[in-house]
Amino acid sequence: MNPIKIKEGVYWVGEIDWNLRNFHGYSTQRGSTYNAYLILDEKITLIDTVRPYLYDKMIQRLSSLVDPSKIHYIISNHVEMDHSGSLPLLMETAKNATIITSPNGQKGLIVHYRKKDWHFKVVKSGESVNLGNKNVKFFLTPMVHWPDNMVSYLEEDNILFANDAFGQHIASFERFDDEYPLGVVLEEAKKYYANIVLPYSSLVQKSLDLVAPLPIDMIAPAHGIIWRSHVKTIVGEYRKWAANQAEAKALVIFDTMWKSTEKIASIIQEAFELLGIPTKMLNLRYNHISDIMSDVLTAKFICVGTPTLNSNMLPTVSGFLTYLKGLSPKNRIGLAFGSYGWGGQGVRHVEEALRECGFNVMESISVQFIPDEIQLQEMLNKLKLEISSLLKMSDEAGSKVGNTV
Ligand code: FEO
C-alpha cells in the first residue's frame, strides 16, 4: 500500500482494481486503476478519489504520507462515481476540505451525494489556485467525458492531471509508460478512446487546443498508466482519433444462423483482400462489442451482416448497432448484408441503422436461403468494382483535403 512519488511532493495514491472485467458494458480484460494524486504543499491537495469499495486502501496509502484530516483541497475533475465515489467517506475525515470543481461539477456532486454542508470552490477555465509553493491551473473540458469534466495542470511541475482523457483500463503494479509494454498501453488507450471518448471527438480537439500551449512533462490520467516518456505519442494518437481519420481497412462484423450469412461475409472479406485492403472478420458471438469498437476507430469500411430472425436482425447484431450508433464514428462507409428464409427484413434494418449512423452506405447484399457459387462469384466481382470506385473517390477527395482515405 505504498504511495508512489511521481514528482517531488506529488504522489500517486490511487488504487488498483485487479478484478474489474466490465466497466458499464465495456469489457476490461486487464482490470483498471482509479488514479488519485496527492500534492504535498502548504495546502495539502488531493486530486480525485477511487471507487468506494477501494476507499480503505486509498486512505491507507494516503495516510502514510499525511493525516487525511489535514487535506485542504480536494480537486474533483469529474463527477462520475469511479472518481468521486469516495468523496462522502473522505469528507467525514477531511471535514474542513474545500472541493474544487467546475460549475457542472458542483451541480453534479450536489445531485449525486445530497450533502449540503460541503464547501465548494467553483473554478473557471484558465483560473489558478495557489497551494503555497505550487499553483494548479484548471481548464474546463466539457464532454471529455461528461459535461462537468475539467483537467488540472500543476504549473511548476508541468503535470497535466487529465482525468478520463488519455486513460486506459490496465491494472498493473507499474505506473509509468516506460515501465510497461508500450504497445499494450497504446492498444488500451485506443480501446478507451473508442468506447468512452469517441462521441465527443470535436470537443476533444478543442480540449487538445486548449492545453497545447502548455509545457507538459507528464500526463497523469485517472485510469491506468501515467505518460511521461511518450507524451507526444499519445497526444498525436488523440489528435488522429479525434479527427476521425479512418484508414483503408475493412471490418466484416456479423452473426450467422445456418452459415449462409457467414458465406457472404467471407466473400466480402475476399473482395477487400483482393484489392489489398486489410480486413478483419468479427463474428459477434466471439468478439465483444467494446473490442470491435477499437477496430472501428480506425477502419473506413464497416460491413454488418445478419440473417433474418422473427422479421428482424439477430439480437447480437442489433446490440452492436445500438452501441455503434451511440459512439458515433464519422466518415465511414457501411455495407449491410445477410441471408434470409422468407422475409428478408434483417438486412433492411441493418441498412437503416447504418444510415442512422450517418455512414455512406453501399448497396446491400441480401440472399434468400443459401448463396450458390454463381451468386457468390457475382457478388465478388460487383463488390470489387464498387469498392475500387469508392477508394478512387476517397483518394481524389483525400488528395484535396489531406485525408487518410
Ligand atoms: Fe473514469 Fe467518466 O469516468
Side-chain angles (χ1 to χ4, degrees):
M1 303 284 172
N2 291 328
I4 293 170
K5 187 198 274 190
I6 66 168
K7 282 236 181 173
E8 203 54 48
V10 187
Y11 293 84
W12 177 84
V13 291
E15 195 42 63
I16 304 165
D17 199 341
W18 297 101
N19 296 329
L20 186 81
R21 289 296 177 271
N22 188 301
F23 189 88
H24 53 52
Y26 167 165
S27 78
T28 50
Q29 300 96 321
R30 291 189 167 97
S32 194
T33 67
Y34 314 105
N35 297 338
Y37 300 94
L38 189 72
I39 303 169
L40 296 182
D41 204 334
E42 285 168 26
K43 291 172 178 163
I44 295 163
T45 300
L46 179 68
I47 302 178
D48 292 320
T49 69
V50 298
R51 290 178 85 163
Y53 58 81
L54 295 170
Y55 172 74
D56 288 347
K57 289 186 174 176
M58 180 192 86
I59 215 70
Q60 280 177 43
R61 218 184 277 281
L62 192 155
S63 298
S64 70
L65 292 166
V66 72
D67 175 354
S69 70
K70 302 278 194 297
I71 293 172
H72 188 93
Y73 288 131
I74 301 167
I75 295 172
S76 180
N77 279 326
H78 181 25
V79 173
E80 194 164 12
M81 286 176 285
D82 48 332
H83 309 299
S84 75
S86 288
L87 270 181
L89 292 165
L90 181 61
M91 291 300 279
E92 285 174 21
T93 305
K95 290 184 194 305
N96 298 316
T98 296
I99 299 169
I100 301 179
T101 191
S102 67
N104 279 328
Q106 183 191 30
K107 284 182 201 157
L109 290 171
I110 289 171
V111 175
H112 267 74
Y113 302 113
R114 319 262 168 198
K115 302 285 185 189
K116 292 201 169 62
D117 54 343
W118 286 359
H119 301 294
F120 287 98
K121 178 171 179 55
V122 175
V123 288
K124 296 194 277 286
S125 212
E127 185 173 342
S128 289
V129 171
N130 177 261
L131 309 183
N133 295 311
K134 299 185 184 192
N135 294 280
V136 187
K137 195 167 192 170
F138 302 95
F139 297 92
L140 305 195
T141 54
M143 302 316 296
V144 191
H145 156 227
W146 279 5
D148 60 282
N149 274 85
M150 65 178 196
V151 298
S152 306
Y153 177 67
L154 190 56
E155 297 186 70
E156 288 70 18
D157 292 308
N158 299 345
I159 306 175
L160 184 70
F161 297 96
N163 196 264
D164 275 343
F166 307 107
Q168 341 85 41
H169 285 310
I170 296 175
S172 63
F173 171 81
E174 295 81 4
R175 293 271 60 81
F176 295 101
D177 57 353
D178 44 31
E179 299 173 339
Y180 200 83
L182 181 63
V184 176
V185 188
L186 287 169
E187 177 188 314
E188 290 295 343
K190 183 182 179 189
K191 182 172 178 182
Y192 191 93
Y193 190 96
N195 285 277
I196 303 278
V197 189
L198 177 59
Y200 320 113
S201 288
S202 60
L203 294 155
V204 173
Q205 286 179 314
K206 282 186 189 158
S207 297
L208 288 170
D209 292 342
L210 202 61
V211 298
L214 305 173
I216 297 175
D217 294 345
M218 192 179 281
I219 297 177
H223 297 288
I225 299 285
I226 297 167
W227 303 92
R228 68 176 176 191
S229 294
H230 302 284
V231 168
K232 276 192 183 150
T233 304
I234 188 60
V235 171
E237 291 298 292
Y238 258 61
R239 286 243 176 239
K240 193 172 76 183
W241 298 332
N244 265 288
Q245 282 180 357
E247 297 160 18
K249 288 196 307 196
L251 306 180
V252 186
I253 304 155
F254 65 99
D255 198 347
T256 191
M257 197 187 297
W258 297 106
K259 302 240 176 232
S260 293
T261 298
E262 190 167 358
K263 277 188 181 172
I264 303 169
S266 296
I267 282 295
I268 294 169
Q269 193 264 335
E270 194 180 333
F272 281 107
E273 191 179 301
L274 287 169
L275 293 167
I277 297 171
T279 60
K280 208 160 177 179
M281 293 280 272
L282 295 160
N283 186 322
L284 283 158
R285 289 199 211 169
Y286 310 118
N287 293 277
H288 196 274
I289 54 175
S290 60
D291 288 319
I292 294 176
M293 282 311 301
S294 286
D295 290 311
V296 168
L297 188 61
T298 47
K300 186 73 175 174
F301 292 91
I302 313 294
C303 312
V304 181
T306 184
T308 294
L309 176 76
N310 301 328
S311 308
N312 215 316
M313 57 185 109
L314 286 180
T316 46
V317 180
S318 58
F320 168 70
L321 287 169
T322 301
Y323 195 61
L324 177 74
K325 189 178 165 195
L327 289 166
S328 193
K330 303 280 188 293
N331 310 323
R332 301 302 199 275
I333 296 170
L335 168 65
F337 67 93
S339 88
Y340 63 94
W342 304 103
Q345 299 95 328
V347 171
R348 292 203 287 276
H349 288 311
V350 171
E351 184 181 324
E352 280 162 25
L354 293 173
R355 286 192 194 284
E356 284 169 14
C357 287
F359 295 177
N360 180 13
V361 176
M362 294 166 65
E363 189 181 333
S364 294
I365 300 171
S366 186
V367 176
Q368 190 170 25
F369 295 122
I370 305 167
D372 64 22
E373 285 308 315
I374 295 169
Q375 284 174 305
L376 291 171
Q377 189 58 50
E378 282 172 359
M379 241 178 251
L380 184 66
N381 295 339
K382 192 160 177 273
L383 276 167
K384 277 165 50 190
L385 283 174
E386 194 174 359
I387 296 163
S388 301
S389 140
L390 284 165
L391 285 171
K392 195 159 171 272
M393 283 194 299
S394 283
D395 279 348
E396 284 164 7
S399 63
K400 282 187 198 129
V401 297
N403 285 343
T404 311
V405 174

